[in-house]
Amino acid sequence: MKIDFSHEPLVQLPSSVVVVYGFEGAAAATGTAQRLPAETRALLDELQTSGELTGKSYECTLVHRPAGLAARKLLVVGAGKKEKSGDAHLRRLVGTAVRYVRGRGIHDLAWVLDSGEVPPGAVQAIAEGAIAGDYDADCYRTERESERRIDRLELATGGGSSDEAAVAALERGRVIAEAQNFSRDLVNEPSNRMTPTSLALRAQQMAGHFGLDCRVLGPEEIRDLKMGAFWAVAQGSDEPAKLIVLNYAHPDAAHAELIGLVGKGITFDTGGISIKPSENMHEMKTDMAGGAMMLGVMQAIAQLKPVARVVALVPATENMPSGKAYKPGDVITSLSGKTIEILNTDAEGRLVLADALTYARQLGCSVLIDAATLTGAIMIALGNITTGVFGWSKEWVERVLGSAAAVGEKMWHMPVDEDYRDLYKSSIADLANTGGRYGGAITAAMFVGEFAGDTPWVHLDIAGTRWSNDEKPYLAKGPTGAGVRTLVHLLSNLPA
Ligand code: BES
Ligand code: MN
Ligand code: ZN
């Protein structure tokens, strides 16, 4: 999608459809609808009186041959209650317009900006909403929804000019939303097409394209390095395990913190010998969403170039039952030296994260952030809407939550507490890999945290937010790219 500013008077915009929004109860006289010429607003007043135009959230009203405008169509998007405002709201309104319009065979639109100077944050949100909205997860359908993609979006100022900051914000929004969509593409792939090997290839292609350093360790290296926890999970699969390592360093950041991003990369989670029930097992192709999130983040920062030092690690493997698979009762030795009793082979995510975190510390990381589709328990607690945030470091947990709030991603601080530690004690090893049903997301997070040692660490459980079970007016059903925007914001706003 090409996105540009347009400075034509609104009445002369040449796009197929001009888009405005208005709030509930007074859609014709609020939001950007009030920027329309009197003649057009009179038309909207009529629709409002007849009850066709209410301004309720995401309502779309298409007017053909709108009086007073050169454009052949006018779309009014309902903005809901007047108190709803801000960039997060704007992002959704634009996404709604894009999805509505392309569903009607229109490929170009003009989004009318608020009058006066449009703040960079709003421009960025508009670009993000449009590009994320124009995504569909139907790449294996022969007749694709996404063939109806939007080619062109004009950001209509109605006159005047757009400054450098606005143009930069537009570019920033494009980079971030494309990174989010890249992450969604990876999560969307089924496990027969997204093996650890193909995930590593996709990472290498991305790194080559955007100038990142990328290294991939194979099975022998993983074993030789003594990553016993990662290896235990990998040993049951015929697909070779891969540890993907990406590096980004800004030349002025030689002394900055080395941030380690660790993403769970289970390309399919059958549960292993503690096999999952077959109902919904197909959803476990998404069990590499944490890894996909980190790859998306790296794609974005490679282009945005924040003053930061970042290494991303994605331990990638399948979790399979087989004659070679690890079994309940096994005791394994992790890279850290800590021994782990396996009580359930379906608690595999924490094992691959354990060794990847230890390795990140060996590489010198001074801050660790991991993301994982770690537990069903977080879905029970927070549903598909909110990501669970865990960690001992108040400072870094708050940083993550602050970034999430700034970019409109829903995240919630969940507790960690010494008192839960007893739950994952083992009678024969240092730790057990499960802590029982109660507080399952907390004990899983804390297990992972044991391998961060005294390094500040934040854990994001995205088991719920990785996927949207239903189509939203502004976003397709399927992979969400959760977390990408938050971490890009965090890495772009590090303390000096
Ligand atoms: N990948 C799953 C968690 C998951 C569940 C992600 C549903 C997305 C949707 C994870 O590996 C898992 O199986 N966790 C177990 C842990 C249990 C065995 C302690 C769970 O949550 O049931
Ligand atoms: Mn599992
Ligand atoms: Zn899993």
Side-chain angles (χ1 to χ4, degrees), residues 264 266 269 271 274 276 283-284 286-287 319 344-350 372-379 433-437 440 443-444 461-464 466:
K264 173 174 171 179
I266 301 295
D269 181 11
S274 314
K276 289 179 183 292
E283 290 179 7
M284 287 303 115
T286 65
D287 211 18
N319 184 23
N344 190 320
T345 63
D346 198 9
E348 85 296 340
R350 63 199 80 184
T373 46
L374 201 61
T375 65
I378 200 70
M379 300 176 79
N433 81 326
T434 64
R437 248 164 70 80
T443 51
D461 195 333
I462 57 166
R466 81 202 188 285

Side-chain angles (χ1 to χ4, degrees), residues 89-105:
H89 190 45
L90 202 50
R91 194 181 282 109
R92 288 186 172 187
L93 295 181
V94 178
T96 301
V98 161
R99 293 192 72 72
Y100 181 87
V101 157
R102 42 174 241 156
R104 278 149 192 84

